[in-house]
Amino acid sequence: MAAAVAEELVAGGPIMLYDGTCGLCHGAVRWMLAHERDRALRFAPLQGPTAEALRVRWPAIPRAVESVVLVDDRRVHLRSKVFLHAARHLLRGSLGPHDNDSRFLLD
């Protein structure tokens, strides 16, 4: 049943999980919301019930808050790959000269 809840959450679109107590993370979320072209991304804190429900289905989602996670198309992306996959939801020009090549985001 819990796995079904996780699948239902993801069916609504990609979810980015971030450190809900981090000011920098809140700023990054606000920036992404301001530059998102399709309004498909959803955001939730790693410390919250949404992340906990998703962990039932995807145990690879870390509990440590020094990471960022994207659950998209039933796959889990971690750290810098989150931004690589999230970049396709941004307005053209949001990444400046890197608009056509977002690989610079990788760690």
Side-chain angles (χ1 to χ4, degrees), residues 22-36 39 43:
C22 168
L24 178 64
C25 299
H26 281 279
V29 167
R30 284 193 305 273
W31 185 90
M32 291 189 78
L33 286 169
H35 292 87
E36 189 181 7
R39 302 290 180 227
F43 300 87

Side-chain angles (χ1 to χ4, degrees), residues 50-103:
T50 300
E52 200 57 44
L54 292 171
R55 281 187 193 101
V56 171
R57 170 67 177 83
W58 294 281
I61 296 174
R63 293 189 180 282
V65 294
E66 58 268 349
S67 187
V68 64
V69 178
L70 180 71
V71 183
D72 187 13
D73 297 325
R74 293 177 172 68
R75 293 186 62 201
V76 173
H77 307 283
L78 302 174
R79 300 188 322 263
S80 62
K81 288 187 181 175
V82 168
F83 298 103
L84 181 68
H85 290 278
R88 58 189 166 152
H89 297 282
L90 299 177
L91 293 167
R92 292 209 43 78
S94 296
L95 299 176
H98 302 289
D99 235 19
N100 294 321
D101 184 13
S102 54
R103 289 176 297 169

